[in-house]
Amino acid sequence: MAMNIALALIPSVLWGVMALLLGAFPTDPRRQNTMVLLGAGTGSILAALLLGAPWYGRSLVWGIVCGLMWTGGQIFMLRAYMAWGVALTQPLTSAMQLSINAMLGIVLFGEWRAPGAMPLGLAALLLISIGGTACSWQEKAGAGPEPDAAARRRGLISTTITSVLYGSYASVLREVEVPSDHALGPMGIGVLLGAVLTMVVLPRREPIAGPRRLPAFGAGAVWCLGNALMLWATGKVGVATGFTLSQLGFIVATLGALLILHEHRSRKELKATAAGIVVALLGLGMLGAAASL
């Protein structure tokens, strides 16, 4: 179990790095979204071929559906980054996704039913959610040196939509009884279809073949590796636990956004961020204890 928990933490590091890549190399939204999706979709198909995972009718259909769900989540994630920054988006969306996915795991799949596991797991989830929310707390009405109420509203709406789409696709696969390795390749097809839709639907301000497209493609490839590990982990430690562990990337993304991207936070906001990280790590320890039961 300890080894499974350790492996389930790797996606959180990879997705934290992905957020920093996207925040560090902003470019035209259509170009960035398209390249991220091309990287993620191509990587997913290659990973599935290397693993030799079988594809069949059910896995193809539901994998494509989940790939399109992830596409929508990615588009709104980048909108949230542009509205109020990585350091505010990542912790809040992680807290929201945790709540959605853990509740689905508990209600649909009866997880955390061992004696003492349910109260311990729920307490851990609450602490991680509180920690993520504290990291996104704002002293004023918006992010950055010149807070803007409209930007905060756009950021919150985009973050909420992203959380719903990101936070439910792993449970969708489990509910329709499609093994995670069987869905990896079809998800890649769905993401590539999403890339085509992105090129067609989003405003054509600049050509796709422009500056900073390679970091976006690389960010998509990083997501692919994290997604493959996350889907594997949910089969080993359960949806509620595996997905929760994968969302701790907000710690990497938050610290990186402050130290590397130099996103602005006030002194009080920095204190809230530090406290939130400590609380989230405490919740992680409790979650590991709940999983061991």
Side-chain angles (χ1 to χ4, degrees):
M1 177 59 73
M3 179 60 69
N4 290 340
I5 293 291
L7 291 174
L9 282 168
I10 296 177
S12 67
V13 177
L14 294 173
W15 290 344
V17 171
M18 175 190 177
L20 294 178
L21 279 173
L22 295 176
F25 300 99
T27 184
D28 174 69
R30 177 169 169 263
R31 177 187 302 134
Q32 193 171 37
N33 276 298
T34 300
M35 294 309 297
V36 169
L37 295 171
L38 287 175
T42 302
S44 294
I45 292 174
L46 289 176
L49 293 175
L50 289 174
L51 292 172
W55 299 6
Y56 49 92
R58 176 182 287 268
S59 67
L60 184 63
V61 171
W62 286 106
I64 290 175
V65 168
C66 290
L68 291 173
M69 289 173 64
W70 188 85
T71 296
Q74 176 59 34
I75 291 172
F76 281 99
M77 178 74 84
L78 287 176
R79 285 174 60 90
Y81 287 169
M82 289 185 287
W84 61 358
V86 174
L88 294 173
T89 300
Q90 208 64 35
L92 189 57
T93 188
S94 294
M96 289 182 178
Q97 289 180 59
L98 285 170
S99 299
I100 292 169
N101 204 275
M103 290 302 104
L104 289 173
I106 293 167
V107 173
L108 295 179
F109 312 122
E111 296 183 359
W112 296 346
R113 297 303 188 193
M118 180 68 74
L120 191 59
L122 290 177
L125 179 62
L126 179 62
L127 287 178
I128 295 173
S129 297
I130 290 173
T133 304
C135 289
S136 291
W137 175 75
Q138 289 179 281
E139 187 177 4
K140 299 181 181 180
E146 296 182 3
D148 184 295
R152 185 177 185 181
R153 183 167 55 252
R154 289 196 304 273
L156 180 59
I157 292 173
S158 297
T159 300
T160 301
I161 296 174
T162 289
S163 301
V164 172
L165 293 171
Y166 274 179
S168 55
Y169 73 85
S171 293
V172 168
L173 289 175
R174 189 171 176 186
E175 175 66 16
V176 298
E177 299 181 346
V178 172
S180 56
D181 58 333
H182 295 187
L184 187 60
M187 272 194 73
I189 295 175
V191 172
L192 289 179
L193 289 175
V196 174
L197 291 174
T198 298
M199 285 190 286
V200 173
V201 173
L202 293 185
R204 302 187 180 189
R205 299 187 181 94
E206 297 183 21
I208 297 296
R212 297 185 169 183
R213 63 187 184 277
L214 292 182
F217 185 90
V222 168
W223 170 83
C224 162
L225 180 57
N227 182 61
L229 287 171
M230 188 273 288
L231 291 175
W232 173 87
T234 58
K236 296 293 184 179
V237 300
V239 170
T241 302
F243 193 86
T244 299
L245 294 174
S246 75
Q247 292 307 300
L248 290 174
F250 78 82
I251 297 176
V252 177
T254 301
L255 293 177
L258 297 174
L259 299 176
I260 300 174
L261 305 184
H262 304 294
E263 293 186 358
H264 174 81
R265 302 302 295 272
S266 71
R267 184 181 297 273
K268 289 184 178 179
E269 289 168 351
L270 288 174
K271 290 181 179 179
T273 298
I277 290 174
V278 171
V279 170
L281 289 175
L282 178 60
L284 170 61
M286 294 174 60
L287 186 68
S292 67
L293 297 177

